[in-house]
Amino acid sequence: MPRSYLRFPHLHADTLVFVAENDVWTAPVSGGRAYRLTADDVPVATPRLSPDGTRVAWTSWRDGAPEVFVSDLDGGGGRRLTYWADPRAQTIGWTPAGEVLAVSTVGQASPRRGWAYAIPATGGTPRRLDLGPVSDVALAVDDSPAVVVTSVMSREAAWWKRYRGGTAGKLWWDPTGSGEFVRLAGDLDGQLASPMLVGTGDGLRIGFISDHEGWGNIYSLGADGTGLRRHTDHGGPGAPAFYVRHASTDGERVVYESAGELWILDSLDGSATPRRLDVRLGGPRTARDPFRVRTADELAWAAPDRTGRTSIALVRGTVHRLTHRDGPARTLLAQPGARARLARPLGEDRVVWVDDVEGEDAVCVAPLDERADGAQPLRRHGVGEVGRVLELAAAPDGSKVALSAHDGRLLVLELAGDRAGELRELARGADGEISDLCWSPDSAWLAYCDPVESGLTRIMMARLADDTLVAVTEPRFADTDPTFTSDGKYLAFLSRRTFDPIYDEHSFDLTFAASWRPFVVPLAARTPSPFGASPDGRPVSPKEKGPED
């Protein structure tokens, strides 16, 4: 069974609480099987055990905005304690008197002005403490009035690694509870978070998370602000290459999370080393169960073949063949961890798409029916060569595939003859990515939109027999979307090349409407304009239309 991602741990005596799969869980500190404390299946955070270990408080998004909830450790349902509707609200612990400690910006003009509140565990009006603006608060577990806080951080250190700006967390210390704070660790050039008071009396140390040495690790200072120690070595040789996060304490031990695993420090006296807690979740693990999706909601693309009888469809990165009449759908690619794009029919019996099965974009050619006589196996071309494919167009005869890459290259992949599997560069965009790829009906020519400079594009054609490039339009306008007519005699495209101001209907002035219009270009000198005059006249009914018409 795959491991879960465990977060926000806290402990008291032999009881551990944490968050996993959108619920609060409890387990022995020694490790083993964990049990759900909640079953709301909504985001929750920062569960904290009460000083007597009989209750737990946490932050829950059950009713929309984060609010503070409390429950007996033995269960019985959570009780909502706050009605702040504040997106910054967060449970941070308990007071020695048994009140829930939380931070909120309710009633403040700025979301950076968070204040600490003491909330009666049985319900009642939250009492604002003279601690603010703060993002976290640590109170002594004994009768000492000492308190340490961190100033408001714009983001958690693991979200904004090695941030050194002015909104990084700072550590403040009031050893007497008089309200006069002094700054600690002001010489550490890093992000400070998760303040903790560990130990009592002369053995009191101030623990916190800092990344001033490049990685988020647990450090501590003596009560006088000196004697800096590092207690973890995440990011070092042989250690997990992930930040320490969400550290908390019961006054003696420190528990924290790193990369979804829980770790514990038995003390901060300098001799203890962190060890991982082997916690395993029980229950049905519903958040990891596969679930079916509705194709109607997840259909991303459908391309019909030339017969109009079937289509190649994309559903959440998987490729399928769908018949337009009654009949089964056939899955062509459905591989976990892989994503397919730009699926198209290729000739009469194959399909082509772009996927990242091998780690980078590749052009995949697969048979519609791998069990048919003469069907060739699935093959991938251009792994590591095509870059990121933006557009794909398959030749009508299935002999070639044209690709537009993110670096401006126009590539052609040969799929027939002696050059099968060859990938070559046909052209390169002058100022950006080539787009709007379109093949002629005989697969001999490829038309595309070439970016000349910002705001200007031209229509180009390439003859694949000798890779000759022909400019269809001049690089003076915005010309896009070339399309061959079904007989291959004309090339139609859209262009914004008409300057036609009109009088505005709402003000006495001129307005300049976007003048996108379709245009047609005859592809041979002797091909007449389809809109021009004819000496023989034009047929007025389908019966009079002859082959020459």
Side-chain angles (χ1 to χ4, degrees), residues 74 86 178-179 195 225-226 233 238 349 359 366 463 476 511 513 543:
D74 295 333
D86 172 26
S178 62
T226 62
D233 193 30
D349 57 355
R463 184 168 57 195
R476 298 173 53 201
T511 187
K543 295 181 180 180

Side-chain angles (χ1 to χ4, degrees), residues 345-431:
L346 182 64
E348 297 180 356
D349 57 355
R350 292 182 297 172
V351 61
V352 61
W353 66 79
V354 174
D355 64 30
D356 56 2
V357 170
E358 299 186 25
E360 298 185 48
D361 273 6
V363 181
C364 181
V365 178
L368 286 176
D369 186 358
E370 59 184 9
R371 295 167 296 182
D373 294 338
Q376 298 181 355
L378 182 149
R379 292 177 180 173
R380 289 185 172 85
H381 307 272
V383 180
E385 300 180 51
V386 297
R388 188 176 76 253
V389 180
L390 303 181
E391 289 189 23
L392 180 149
D397 63 1
S399 63
K400 303 176 183 66
V401 172
L403 311 168
S404 173
H406 75 286
D407 54 5
R409 292 179 297 162
L410 175 59
L411 305 174
V412 174
L413 176 63
E414 296 284 349
L415 297 176
D418 297 336
R419 302 169 64 183
E422 176 185 333
L423 183 69
R424 70 181 189 274
E425 181 178 327
L426 184 62
R428 187 179 288 263
D431 186 33

Side-chain angles (χ1 to χ4, degrees), residues 135-426:
S135 61
D136 206 343
V137 176
L139 304 178
V141 296
D142 55 12
D143 295 332
S144 170
V147 59
V148 60
V149 304
T150 53
S151 59
V152 177
M153 299 181 298
S154 52
R155 292 184 186 177
E156 183 190 347
W159 289 12
W160 205 350
K161 292 179 173 62
R162 302 169 188 88
Y163 171 68
R164 299 294 183 261
T167 58
K170 301 174 180 61
L171 205 61
W172 299 87
W173 169 234
D174 178 11
T176 63
S178 62
E180 297 293 332
F181 285 86
V182 295
R183 185 177 175 185
L184 294 178
D187 57 336
L188 298 185
D189 186 21
Q191 179 93 291
L192 309 185
S194 300
M196 298 170 286
L197 292 176
V198 184
T200 57
D202 296 337
L204 178 67
R205 294 196 65 83
I206 303 168
F208 55 93
I209 295 176
S210 174
D211 66 349
H212 66 278
E213 293 183 313
W215 289 86
N217 277 294
I218 292 181
Y219 297 80
S220 70
L221 292 167
D224 58 357
T226 62
L228 179 68
R229 297 176 186 168
R230 188 173 74 182
H231 302 275
T232 61
D233 193 30
H234 289 255
F242 299 95
Y243 266 46
V244 169
R245 304 178 64 188
H246 312 145
S248 64
T249 182
D250 62 350
E252 298 178 1
R253 300 161 294 176
V254 173
V255 65
Y256 64 90
E257 171 246 321
S258 180
E261 296 180 338
L262 303 185
W263 298 74
I264 190 171
L265 272 167
D266 292 317
S267 70
L268 296 184
D269 60 6
S271 61
T273 57
R275 52 188 174 88
R276 192 176 73 86
L277 298 178
D278 184 18
V279 177
R280 300 181 301 274
L281 300 189
R285 309 292 294 278
T286 55
R288 287 187 177 271
D289 288 344
F291 65 97
R292 295 182 179 273
V293 299
R294 295 182 68 250
T295 302
D297 297 334
E298 305 294 341
L299 181 65
W301 173 263
D305 64 6
R306 301 189 71 182
T307 66
R309 296 179 179 178
T310 63
S311 288
I312 305 301
L314 285 171
V315 180
R316 288 177 64 93
T318 61
V319 186
H320 306 268
R321 179 196 183 191
L322 305 177
T323 57
H324 293 175
R325 293 187 178 181
D326 292 342
R330 178 171 297 159
T331 299
L332 303 178
L333 177 75
Q335 184 168 331
R339 175 173 175 256
R341 302 182 292 116
L342 308 174
R344 304 284 192 279
L346 182 64
E348 297 180 356
D349 57 355
R350 292 182 297 172
V351 61
V352 61
W353 66 79
V354 174
D355 64 30
D356 56 2
V357 170
E358 299 186 25
E360 298 185 48
D361 273 6
V363 181
C364 181
V365 178
L368 286 176
D369 186 358
E370 59 184 9
R371 295 167 296 182
D373 294 338
Q376 298 181 355
L378 182 149
R379 292 177 180 173
R380 289 185 172 85
H381 307 272
V383 180
E385 300 180 51
V386 297
R388 188 176 76 253
V389 180
L390 303 181
E391 289 189 23
L392 180 149
D397 63 1
S399 63
K400 303 176 183 66
V401 172
L403 311 168
S404 173
H406 75 286
D407 54 5
R409 292 179 297 162
L410 175 59
L411 305 174
V412 174
L413 176 63
E414 296 284 349
L415 297 176
D418 297 336
R419 302 169 64 183
E422 176 185 333
L423 183 69
R424 70 181 189 274
E425 181 178 327
L426 184 62

Side-chain angles (χ1 to χ4, degrees), residues 7 19 21-23 40-45 58-62 66:
R7 302 180 298 154
V19 168
E21 299 186 0
N22 281 344
D23 277 314
D40 296 328
D41 195 21
V42 296
V44 290
W58 69 93
T59 306
S60 173
W61 280 255
R62 188 187 72 181

